[in-house]
Structure formats: structure tokens, C-alpha cells
Amino acid sequence: MADPLVAQAGAVEFDEPSAPPKPPIPDAPPRPFGKLYAIGDIHLSFKGNREALQELAPKPNDGLILVGDVGESSEHLTIAFSKAKECFQTVFWTPGNHELYSLRAEEQAEGGSLKGEEKYLHSIEVARAFGVITPEDPYQFWWCEGKNGEAVPYLIAPIFTLYDYSFRPDHVKLEDAVAWAREENIEATDEYMLHPDPYPTREAWCEVLVNRTAARLTETVAHYGLGVKVVLAGHWPLRQDLVNLRLIPRFSIWCGTKQTEDWHRHFNAEVVVSGHLHIRRTDWRDDVRFEECSLGYPRQWKECQDKGMGINDFLREILPGPTYEGVDKAATIWRRFG
């Protein structure tokens, strides 16, 4: 089979917050405010991508979001986090499916063959050892200058949601989803290497993650008020209509969950950042900017390398972001070259 990269869960109940009150928004740091960039799917299991990462340029006043698929092992995470922290003031990370893969002990000396949630929590420990902010840490504010020169805080929320096979046609039942993809010779490696332990299925784990994240975001927005501007950053796209896989459309079942379809509205998102698709693009939904900012496997950006481009050309500016004045926000900006 080729690896190209619970029935549909009901709408999430957005309960009233029950956690202890959060602190007020902190004071703005000294100006000038730094920029916030993002990149995903750097796949450090490939030598060419590891070499490319070493060319990452220092931006000591700026921040970086790594939106998953850094690699499969603790070694890959260590390489990524050490280099990112060397170059950026603040680094955020959220896992992709590759970080969750269970490897043989000889392939990963530290972490070994951990499965499911244990593998995820082990990756969290590696990130925290480098001071990298994860989905399990308090959300952080990032400050930018507004149109009138005022200081504007944005709440950066790394999220981990997984998928539940609900990105499929209505006529395909959940229990038939993987077989439906196999009909076109498509099957994700996840089916063999991404274990849901201790949950019975990946969709059950997804349900837990979605409900937990929704409750946390609900509580956070309720605390800071509807005026708070949020950046949602996760590996999987939040909306099915942003999964445009022309050559492998049935891979969509491994690309997210319909439970997050309206999160950009529910949680006051200014920008939503994702990876996973290896198809770089910028879209708008309800005047919210969606950024797919993956690098991809070496063969997928070789044409860019042939033009003299490197990893720094693929860093997507999230904040403050381009103005996009005069841009047709009903259309997609395809980012073939970064």
C-alpha cells in the first residue's frame, strides 16, 4: 500500500469553565516587538532535511511555531528543539502523527517502543527540557504593534487534536473508511505505527483530545474575554474544506476531525496554523487566516532547492503577518515556493 503522506463525533459541548481563574494579560515587553513564524513537517528522518535545518538563520527577537512531524525519535526532537532555541527567542511545538509513531528500541534508544499517550508524553518531556512550549503548557501571549501603534497581545495556543476518520464522504461508514482508502491503494503508515494506547481506537483518543482542548480553550476565552485574539496552532487542519488532495483524495480520512470545523469562530482565532498536507497555502474562512506551512519530504521541495532556496524561505510569518491588502480572500494563495 502507498503511504503518501465512533462514527462521526457529534458537536463538542462547550461547557462553562470550571478551572481556577487565570492571571491577567501580562504587560507588553519592550519594543520593538518580534515576529512570529511557523513551519511544519520538517521530517528530520531525512538527511537532506537535517542538513537544511542547520542553515536556520538566527532571529533572536522572534518566535517560531513547529507544527508537528519534526520526526519520529527523541533524537529528531532534540536536533529540532536545540537548533530552534539557538535561533529563536521563543519556540512552540505541537505533535504530528510522526512524533507518535512507536519505533523499535534499536531505532530509538531513549523512549524505545513507547505507544500512544506514553509516546506523546515522552515527547513533551523532551520539549520541556529545551524550554519549548507544548500543548500541555500554559498558553503564552505574543505582542505585536497594531495599526495605530498600540501594543496588541495575541494568545498562542498549541493544540493536539489527532483525527477520527470523519473527513470522508457521507456515504462511507466509519467502519469502512480505511477499506475505502485502500480501494485506491492508499493507506497511512499510522495504521501500523500510531497506536492509541490506552484508548481502544484512534478515534476514541481523538474524542478525548478534542473535548479536553475545547474545554481549555473555552475557559481561556471566557477568562480573557471575547476581545482576546487567538492563534490556534496544530498539526492537522481544522476544516475538511481545506484538505485539497487532488492526487490522493482518500488520504483525507487521516487529516483531521469534523469536530473542529467551527473552532476558528468559537475561539476568536485571528490565525489558524497547520501542516500535515505538504501542500503550502493560505486561505480565509470567516475573515480568519488559515496557514498551511509544511516543508515536506526532500523530494517535495527539491524544485525550490534547485532555485537556491533553503529552509529560511519556508518560514511563514504568522504575526504580525502581511497586510494582504487587495487580496481576494475568497481564493487560495498557493505557496509552491514557500
Side-chain angles (χ1 to χ4, degrees), residues 142-202:
W142 191 267
W143 293 82
C144 293
E145 188 167 316
K147 294 181 179 179
N148 299 316
E150 75 279 19
V152 180
Y154 293 82
L155 191 67
I156 314 303
I159 59 174
F160 172 33
T161 55
L162 206 56
Y163 55 84
D164 61 4
Y165 306 94
S166 60
F167 283 4
R168 65 183 193 275
D170 292 340
H171 72 273
V172 177
K173 297 178 181 179
L174 171 65
E175 58 268 28
D176 299 329
V178 174
W180 171 75
R182 287 172 177 162
E183 289 174 358
E184 298 293 332
N185 201 36
I186 300 298
E187 185 172 17
T189 302
D190 297 19
E191 294 298 311
Y192 305 96
M193 297 184 67
L194 199 167
H195 302 281
D197 306 47
Y199 306 99
T201 61
R202 296 177 193 88

Side-chain angles (χ1 to χ4, degrees), residues 239-303:
R239 295 177 56 89
Q240 186 176 6
D241 63 2
L242 296 177
V243 179
N244 186 343
L245 303 171
R246 185 174 58 86
L247 299 179
I248 49 169
R250 297 192 183 191
F251 190 74
S252 63
I253 62 173
W254 291 283
C255 292
T257 169
K258 289 182 179 178
Q259 296 184 84
T260 61
E261 194 87 355
D262 293 328
W263 278 21
H264 64 293
R265 289 197 298 262
H266 277 299
F267 302 126
N268 295 347
E270 186 82 3
V271 189
V272 178
V273 187
S274 67
H276 189 59
L277 303 181
H278 296 195
I279 301 174
R280 296 175 290 276
R281 56 190 287 180
T282 300
D283 295 271
W284 286 265
R285 295 293 185 273
D286 305 306
D287 209 33
V288 176
R289 178 162 46 101
F290 286 75
E291 299 281 9
E292 205 284 358
C293 56
S294 54
L295 178 66
Y297 305 130
R299 69 178 184 275
Q300 294 173 322
W301 63 288
K302 183 179 184 303
E303 184 180 3

Side-chain angles (χ1 to χ4, degrees), residues 58-232:
K59 297 180 182 293
N61 197 42
D62 298 335
L64 178 68
I65 308 172
L66 294 168
V67 284
D69 278 9
V70 163
E72 296 79 17
S73 70
S74 296
E75 179 184 6
H76 298 150
L77 294 177
T78 296
I79 292 171
F81 296 154
S82 60
K83 185 62 178 180
K85 286 293 290 186
E86 174 187 315
C87 295
F88 288 86
Q89 176 192 100
T90 306
V91 177
F92 304 86
W93 165 81
T94 186
N97 48 311
H98 281 251
E99 280 93 336
L100 305 175
Y101 284 178
S102 296
L103 306 178
R104 295 190 301 270
E106 61 267 27
E107 294 176 302
Q108 183 180 339
E110 183 184 356
S113 57
L114 294 175
K115 292 183 177 181
E117 192 169 64
E118 284 190 345
K119 180 67 187 292
Y120 168 59
L121 294 176
H122 175 74
S123 298
I124 294 292
E125 291 177 2
V126 177
R128 286 174 171 170
F130 289 92
V132 171
I133 300 165
T134 79
E136 303 302 316
D137 296 314
Y139 300 146
Q140 303 287 314
F141 279 96
W142 191 267
W143 293 82
C144 293
E145 188 167 316
K147 294 181 179 179
N148 299 316
E150 75 279 19
V152 180
Y154 293 82
L155 191 67
I156 314 303
I159 59 174
F160 172 33
T161 55
L162 206 56
Y163 55 84
D164 61 4
Y165 306 94
S166 60
F167 283 4
R168 65 183 193 275
D170 292 340
H171 72 273
V172 177
K173 297 178 181 179
L174 171 65
E175 58 268 28
D176 299 329
V178 174
W180 171 75
R182 287 172 177 162
E183 289 174 358
E184 298 293 332
N185 201 36
I186 300 298
E187 185 172 17
T189 302
D190 297 19
E191 294 298 311
Y192 305 96
M193 297 184 67
L194 199 167
H195 302 281
D197 306 47
Y199 306 99
T201 61
R202 296 177 193 88
E203 55 266 34
W205 190 9
C206 174
E207 180 81 5
V208 170
L209 292 168
V210 166
N211 286 333
R212 186 171 67 194
T213 304
R216 184 179 178 193
L217 288 168
T218 300
E219 183 259 325
T220 301
V221 172
H223 172 73
Y224 289 117
L226 295 178
V228 66
K229 298 176 183 291
V230 178
V231 174
L232 296 174

Side-chain angles (χ1 to χ4, degrees), residues 2-13:
D3 174 24
L5 271 180
V6 156
Q8 177 184 331
V12 175
E13 294 291 335

Side-chain angles (χ1 to χ4, degrees), residues 38-55:
I39 191 170
D41 302 77
I42 60 176
H43 289 289
L44 296 185
S45 57
F46 291 91
K47 182 173 181 287
N49 281 15
R50 292 196 300 274
E51 292 173 346
L53 180 66
Q54 296 312 308
E55 300 302 317

